[in-house]
Amino acid sequence: MRRYSAPLVFLLPATLLIVLFFVAPAVTTLYLSLTDISTITFRHPSWIGLGNYYSLLRDPFIGRILLNTAHYVGFTLLFNVGMGLLLALLTSSVRERYGNQIRAVWLLPRILPPVVYVLIWQGLSREAPYGLISDLLGTSRNWITAQPWNVIVLANGLVGASFGMLLFTSAIRAIPQDLFFAAAVDGATTGQTVRRVVLPLLRWPILFVTAYQTLSLLTSFEYILLLTNGGPGFYTTTVWSLHAYQSALSNYFGNVQFGLGAAMAAVLVVIGIAVSLFYLRIFNFRALVGEPKVEIN
Amino acid sequence: MPLLPPRWRLLFLVVAALSLPVIAGIVWLFLTGSFDEVHGLVPTGPLALKRWRFLWESIGNRPPIHVPLLNSMVFSVVVSVVVVTVASMAAYAISRLSFPGRSMYLGLVLMLHAFPAVSLIIAIFYILRLLGLFDTLTGVILVKASLDLPLGIWLMKGFFDSLSWEMEMAALVDGMSRWTLFWKIALPLVRPGVLALGTFSLLSAWGEFILPFTLIVSTRSWTMALYLQSFIGEVFTDYRVAAAVGLFYALPVIVLFLLGQRYLLNVYSGGVKG
Amino acid sequence: MKGISVRLEGLTKHFGKVVALQALDLDIRAGEMVAFLGPSGCGKTTTLLMIAGIYQSTAGQIYFNERRVDHLHPRDRDVGMVFQSYALYPHLILFENIAFPLRLKRTPQAEIEQKVRQAADLLGIGHVLDRRPAQVSGGQQQRAALARALIKEPQVLLLDEPLSNLDAQIRLQARGEIRRLQQQIGVTSILVTHDQAEALAMADRIAVFSMGKLQQLATTDDLYLRPANVFVARFVGHPPMNLLEGGFENGHFTMGTLSIPVPSGHLKGGGSLGIRPEDATLDGEVPARVVVIEPLGRETLVTLRLGEMDFKVLADQAARPTLGTEVRLGYRRDRVHLFDQAGKRVAP
Ligand SMILES: Nc1ncnc2c1ncn2[C@@H]1O[C@H](COP(=O)(O)OP(=O)(O)OP(=O)(O)O)[C@@H](O)[C@H]1O
Ligand SMILES: [Mg+2]
């Protein structure tokens, strides 16, 4: 097959890495979720079928965790999309230079290393006289312990808002100027222009950002891990993905239940695959692959 | 863009105000990293450089700073180089070569681009142990590079798509193989894409926390993220030292931000996800 | 360097359901320049790219001299090609663009220097070699592309509309230059063009294409004097030939009430008769009305109404008729073209 040696060479490294760290882990997750693998049985796990899934259902804290997850995803999503939209609208209404500067500032939380970002939150949330939040609110508290959910949603939101902001901004820029003139000629107020012209045109970007962020919020736990590690107290801010991670990998209880964690992760993997397949469908990606104009390799 | 009439421009103040927390955070980092005592954002103590002693001595049983620093540099540079090279090669093949299963490959890439890779962390832990790559920098590098690949391939494919076919034909007629064509013609011409993807993966690897946190145990393989985390993970965090370490760790990013805002904005709006 | 002959046998190309080229047989002699002429989308570029090896043929063979080449990679075919967009490498200076094929062959640096300078001086771009393509004019880009194609002394030179992006004046100049250069080095060449004046002026022979098929391969004179079919008759020559559709009977061509004696008495059945505007006159005997007059400077293009159709006559400026008047159409008897029902030339 000399003909296909070029594509083979070009695709080999990527394929290898994808198989090793996407395909194999997805399969492994499903496999491990059907075994009793733990610290003790790590070398010789035995098959227990759906055992892990049954114990998940029987877990007395599962309701709490589901509720937490809904809380976390719901509120963060609301903040991300709402704030992203607000920022996009506002920054594209002021002079381009200022708009860019403000957008750039909102990029900072995203490019800052997460550990540094969390350190800053911790510093700002300390008791008086150190913490800025205590200072401003006039109540001396450790706000991470006092209001863990608000801090988590805000910390995630400040990072996540920039995603929507950038996408919505380019969508707003793509709206033909004539539409605004036409709306103005028709006597629309600014509020009406935004509601009747801009928002309907942003329908797809909003849907995209919402769907995309739902999926990534559902599986992300980095900031919660660093901010509260699921606390304070028992499962106060533990979400599904964090619980999976801790069951499988944190040494809280010495003997980690790898299989149980894998079962929780498997649920996320299946949801992830389903949703990303759905993306593929609505994307109509076949339009994106034109035939190559050179037929030899 | 005359979306809002002038009187609404007062709203500029609103956005500016909304952005204050972000700026306050950075200011806090600088102040707490430099002054002996800071209340809110007001330094009340003298300038104190004592907390920067982590630069020349080991703190507690942590490794000396040059170990995580070097590891982080190696980690992010190698990840970035691997992502750019491997993604560009695959993207070139998808965009320019004819082979069966081409659109299926692109479909897979697109799907993985949307797929949340963190959900695989448990299995990746397991696989790295099987491969004997657990607790090695090589292992984390491979994992991090792989997870950034779908995004990279997707991004680079867009850039290769815009290259002229006639030029590609001319190169072939001139006597080039696809391999030389890729390195000598195609890759130099998508330099903006290479730079964007390179910057993105460099920053993303520099900040990466979960992967090293999960896949690395020994302090000799620590990255800066783990080093800093060891300070804030303590029962009683010494914020003065932590802020100094954090500032040190974040400084390259902040400098890059100050020098290349426009550029970063382009990188992150140009289809690079977060 | 001596050119080689290029032979295409039954060359066919399908793109999915589209038939871009159908069973093309073509023989190009060593050292000859052949022009491919035809309307847009008729398969000229496709043929060129198959000869270069960029496209793979669906069926048929390509021979360079007696060597079959259609399974070879472009780099093993030894062809040079100039593209419509020139396809210079934007990130390299002109010198490196031209030197590229030599670098790939690992030619010694001194030889590269010498050859590039020589080619550049020959084409008059020696003073811009250190600039990038975007920093030179279109004409200079075109020359650089030509130099790049010629530098490796190819056996076959392929030119895909090399002049179509130039303005009229430079185009005329470049025409002559390319032709002179080609004859000087004697490389077998194929020139694709839309512009028949260009084809007529530059090529030894012209291949006229339509709808993926070769219509005729002939010298300029033959094409003009003996078009092989109605398509060629209409396509070559400006203004185009008048074609009257009717029938042959008893040594006459009849169309409606019109009856014209033709030299070949044996013809029967439907067909058409062609007369070029320059072979027609206004002092004959067929009555017709003047409907349009277009002064062209030296001559005047007169459109007549003849029965159901328009008939164009290229008349002397002095003999310009008045609009709306009746004139008497005449023609040179030795210059009528006869075609049968299928459009094929039958006589003379
Ligand atoms: N890569 C391709 N994929 C599909 N169809 C193609 C491709 N290249 C050419 N075609 C089709 O084949 C036919 C011949 O195209 P070709 O480019 O050879 O025409 P051409 O004679 O060079 O026209 P032009 O004078 O406009 O350059 C056209 O119908 C065209 O649409
Ligand atoms: Mg063409």
Side-chain angles (χ1 to χ4, degrees):
Chain A
M1 293 302 275
R2 217 181 78 85
R3 217 190 132 184
Y4 297 120
S5 61
L8 221 65
V9 169
F10 278 102
L11 288 173
L12 195 67
T15 311
L16 219 65
L17 289 181
I18 286 175
V19 167
L20 212 52
F21 296 111
F22 275 102
V23 180
V27 176
T28 307
T29 305
L30 296 180
Y31 163 71
L32 290 176
S33 75
L34 302 173
T35 67
D36 69 345
I37 185 167
S38 65
T39 308
I40 301 164
T41 61
F42 198 81
R43 294 280 155 206
H44 318 281
S46 48
W47 187 267
I48 55 165
L50 294 177
N52 287 318
Y53 294 91
Y54 290 136
S55 38
L56 258 186
L57 288 178
R58 281 196 305 269
D59 187 334
F61 292 101
I62 200 75
R64 179 77 207 251
I65 286 168
L66 283 175
L67 219 63
N68 283 347
T69 310
H71 184 120
Y72 167 64
V73 174
F75 281 94
T76 313
L77 197 62
L78 216 62
F79 185 92
N80 281 355
V81 177
M83 195 64 168
L85 204 54
L86 189 65
L87 283 171
L89 282 172
L90 293 179
T91 56
S92 34
S93 312
V94 296
R95 214 179 289 156
E96 166 119 10
R97 198 155 61 90
Y98 302 133
N100 275 337
Q101 272 164 7
I102 289 172
R103 279 193 288 270
V105 167
W106 279 81
L107 214 56
L108 253 177
R110 177 175 295 275
I111 60 172
L112 225 45
V115 187
V116 175
Y117 179 67
V118 166
L119 167 68
I120 291 174
W121 268 99
Q122 289 185 342
L124 297 179
S125 313
R126 289 170 74 193
E127 297 89 347
Y130 303 104
L132 183 64
I133 300 178
S134 295
D135 247 21
L136 294 177
L137 298 181
T139 325
S140 175
R141 293 260 174 80
N142 181 333
W143 291 95
I144 295 183
T145 330
Q147 301 272 333
W149 275 121
N150 287 339
V151 174
I152 287 174
V153 168
L154 274 176
N156 268 288
L158 289 189
V159 175
S162 58
F163 180 68
M165 172 188 78
L166 294 174
L167 248 131
F168 298 146
T169 303
S170 34
I172 290 176
R173 281 194 178 149
I175 298 175
Q177 292 274 305
D178 292 355
L179 274 182
F180 295 112
F181 298 143
V185 170
D186 291 345
T189 65
T190 303
Q192 284 169 331
T193 310
V194 169
R195 213 171 50 244
R196 301 270 161 92
V197 180
V198 180
L199 287 187
L201 285 171
L202 290 186
R203 200 172 54 226
W204 279 106
I206 290 174
L207 185 70
F208 174 77
V209 170
T210 308
Y212 191 94
Q213 296 230 326
T214 308
L215 197 54
S216 65
L217 282 173
L218 212 53
T219 52
S220 75
F221 54 87
E222 191 169 28
Y223 293 116
I224 304 185
L225 176 75
L226 281 166
L227 277 170
T228 65
N229 199 14
F234 217 53
Y235 289 134
T236 315
T237 55
T238 302
V239 293
W240 186 278
S241 53
L242 180 63
H243 192 51
Y245 182 80
Q246 287 179 334
S247 306
L249 295 171
S250 101
N251 325 346
Y252 254 15
F253 311 107
N255 180 20
V256 299
Q257 295 167 290
F258 214 73
L260 187 70
M264 298 192 74
V267 174
L268 295 178
V269 169
V270 168
I271 293 177
I273 292 176
V275 175
S276 44
L277 277 176
F278 173 71
Y279 271 129
L280 211 55
R281 283 203 65 109
I282 59 170
F283 227 107
N284 185 22
F285 84 100
R286 248 158 238 291
L288 301 168
V289 267
E291 280 304 308
K293 288 213 167 36
V294 171
E295 299 182 339
I296 42 99
N297 289 322
Chain B
M1 164 87 203
L3 175 58
L4 301 176
R7 69 193 159 84
W8 278 66
R9 294 208 180 141
L10 276 180
L11 274 183
F12 177 73
L13 293 178
V14 177
V15 223
L18 284 177
S19 314
L20 278 180
V22 179
I23 296 170
I26 300 292
V27 171
W28 176 88
L29 188 66
F30 270 96
L31 293 180
T32 313
S34 321
F35 290 94
D36 200 35
E37 180 106 351
V38 178
H39 294 174
L41 291 181
V42 186
T44 51
L47 210 60
L49 295 178
K50 197 176 71 214
R51 75 214 38 193
W52 288 82
R53 72 194 161 87
F54 69 88
L55 286 179
W56 53 86
E57 58 189 62
S58 309
I59 310 281
N61 45 16
R62 297 177 183 86
I65 184 74
H66 71 261
V67 173
L69 184 61
L70 267 175
N71 282 339
S72 265
M73 283 162 135
V74 170
F75 178 62
S76 38
V77 169
V78 175
V79 163
S80 163
V81 169
V82 170
V83 168
V84 168
T85 319
V86 175
S88 300
M89 280 170 62
Y92 179 79
I94 294 176
S95 167
R96 297 263 138 175
L97 300 181
S98 72
F99 58 93
R102 186 164 145 271
S103 69
M104 242 170 64
Y105 204 101
L106 183 67
L108 176 75
V109 168
L110 206 60
M111 194 192 121
L112 292 181
H113 181 30
F115 181 80
V118 227
S119 60
L120 299 173
I121 185 87
I122 295 171
I124 286 176
F125 169 86
Y126 186 78
I127 286 175
L128 276 199
R129 291 195 65 159
L130 288 188
L131 293 176
L133 288 174
F134 180 71
D135 198 18
T136 65
L137 210 51
T138 318
V140 208
I141 287 175
L142 285 178
V143 173
K144 177 65 181 166
S146 307
L147 299 193
D148 278 355
L149 262 190
L151 160 98
I153 297 177
W154 181 240
L155 184 81
M156 293 310 294
K157 179 197 171 279
F159 279 92
F160 283 122
D161 279 349
S162 62
L163 289 187
S164 134
W165 277 105
E166 281 206 342
M167 197 182 55
E168 184 123 12
M169 293 173 182
L172 287 169
V173 169
D174 275 354
M176 257 179 266
S177 66
R178 283 327 252 283
W179 185 249
T180 24
L181 205 171
F182 171 72
W183 289 105
K184 295 215 162 145
I185 305 291
L187 207 54
L189 288 179
V190 295
R191 220 176 64 162
V194 168
L195 285 179
L197 181 59
T199 310
F200 173 82
S201 50
L202 196 73
L203 283 176
S204 142
W206 181 255
E208 180 62 44
F209 168 68
I210 286 284
L211 289 180
F213 182 67
T214 313
L215 305 173
I216 281 177
V217 184
S218 342
T219 52
R220 72 182 149 70
S221 303
W222 268 12
T223 61
M224 283 302 293
L226 297 184
Y227 184 77
L228 175 58
Q229 202 270 339
S230 75
F231 286 96
I232 66 177
E234 282 186 335
V235 183
F236 294 105
T237 308
D238 183 343
Y239 281 95
R240 291 170 300 186
V241 180
V245 173
L247 185 55
F248 178 73
Y249 175 28
L251 214 50
V253 179
I254 296 174
V255 169
L256 179 69
F257 174 82
L258 291 177
L259 294 181
Q261 288 177 28
R262 285 303 303 260
Y263 173 67
L264 283 177
L265 215 49
N266 284 338
V267 168
Y268 283 82
S269 345
V272 173
K273 75 169 173 184
Chain C
M1 172 186 29
K2 191 77 206 100
I4 54 146
S5 68
V6 175
R7 196 166 85 248
L8 313 179
E9 282 181 7
L11 200 62
T12 301
K13 179 68 193 175
H14 296 190
F15 291 109
K17 277 182 237 112
V18 180
V19 180
L21 191 70
Q22 199 170 15
L24 171 65
D25 293 310
L26 197 65
D27 224 325
I28 300 170
R29 301 179 200 123
E32 184 180 35
M33 177 177 270
V34 167
F36 285 5
L37 189 61
S40 196
C42 67
K44 308 179 296 284
T45 299
T46 304
T47 311
L48 225 54
L49 290 179
M50 279 194 287
I51 297 174
I54 303 291
Y55 284 164
Q56 298 208 303
S57 52
T58 310
Q61 294 104 47
I62 303 170
Y63 295 91
F64 286 1
N65 279 340
E66 285 317 309
R67 191 163 77 111
R68 193 168 163 189
V69 296
D70 46 76
H71 58 281
L72 293 181
H73 193 273
R75 71 171 156 266
D76 302 320
R77 294 195 188 195
D78 202 8
V79 299
M81 187 157 177
V82 177
F83 293 85
Q84 184 173 3
S85 65
Y86 313 135
L88 294 169
Y89 310 123
H91 61 303
L92 301 178
I93 57 171
L94 289 198
F95 183 96
E96 286 306 322
N97 264 285
I98 300 171
F100 213 95
L102 298 181
R103 296 225 184 275
L104 290 170
K105 287 188 186 170
R106 309 207 178 281
T107 312
Q109 177 66 23
E111 194 183 332
I112 292 183
E113 290 274 350
Q114 185 248 324
K115 280 191 168 168
V116 173
R117 297 260 166 236
Q118 192 186 345
D121 288 338
L122 192 65
L123 286 161
I125 48 171
H127 58 296
V128 288
L129 281 180
D130 55 350
R131 300 205 205 151
R132 296 196 176 181
Q135 300 164 327
V136 303
S137 73
Q140 289 165 332
Q141 288 180 28
Q142 191 271 332
R143 276 161 233 222
L146 187 61
R148 179 180 64 177
L150 289 175
I151 196 91
K152 59 177 182 177
E153 302 175 3
Q155 293 187 308
V156 180
L157 178 64
L158 307 173
L159 306 157
D160 193 356
E161 309 196 29
L163 306 179
S164 63
N165 282 340
L166 300 179
D167 62 47
Q169 199 163 3
I170 304 180
R171 186 146 67 196
L172 278 183
Q173 189 189 339
R175 241 193 224 178
E177 258 170 32
I178 293 181
R179 177 58 166 161
R180 185 156 24 83
L181 211 57
Q182 186 267 334
Q183 282 179 324
Q184 207 173 321
I185 52 186
V187 58
T188 311
S189 310
I190 301 176
L191 168 79
V192 168
T193 175
H194 267 123
D195 179 351
Q196 39 174 301
E198 199 170 289
L200 299 174
M202 292 173 72
D204 296 302
R205 288 192 296 163
I206 298 171
V208 180
F209 285 77
S210 168
M211 316 246 287
K213 279 199 192 126
L214 176 65
Q215 306 293 326
Q216 186 172 10
L217 171 65
T219 61
T220 305
D221 287 349
D222 274 347
L223 223 48
Y224 182 75
L225 294 173
R226 283 174 287 280
N229 56 36
V230 177
F231 176 83
V232 178
R234 226 191 305 248
F235 193 74
V236 176
H238 190 83
M241 183 187 282
N242 298 294
L243 279 164
L244 310 177
E245 285 181 29
F248 296 104
E249 215 174 340
N250 302 329
H252 279 74
F253 172 81
T254 52
M255 183 185 87
T257 56
L258 191 73
S259 180
I260 296 172
V262 292
S264 318
H266 62 276
L267 286 177
K268 270 208 175 333
S272 42
L273 174 142
I275 298 170
R276 293 197 183 276
E278 54 270 38
D279 295 333
T281 60
L282 295 177
D283 53 3
E285 49 251 24
V286 183
R289 203 160 44 83
V290 179
V291 288
V292 180
I293 294 181
E294 299 167 64
L296 298 178
R298 192 150 47 85
E299 287 143 332
T300 302
L301 185 63
V302 181
T303 307
L304 305 175
R305 193 78 193 161
L306 189 67
E308 295 289 279
M309 63 169 299
D310 288 342
F311 193 104
K312 292 192 190 283
V313 177
L314 212 50
D316 251 11
Q317 197 188 27
R320 186 184 294 177
T322 320
L323 198 64
T325 56
E326 189 103 331
V327 292
R328 302 255 148 198
L329 173 65
Y331 55 93
R332 287 180 59 174
R333 307 245 155 169
D334 58 331
R335 289 281 184 93
V336 296
H337 306 265
L338 306 180
F339 304 95
D340 66 14
Q341 190 127 43
K344 230 169 84 92
R345 175 181 197 82
V346 284

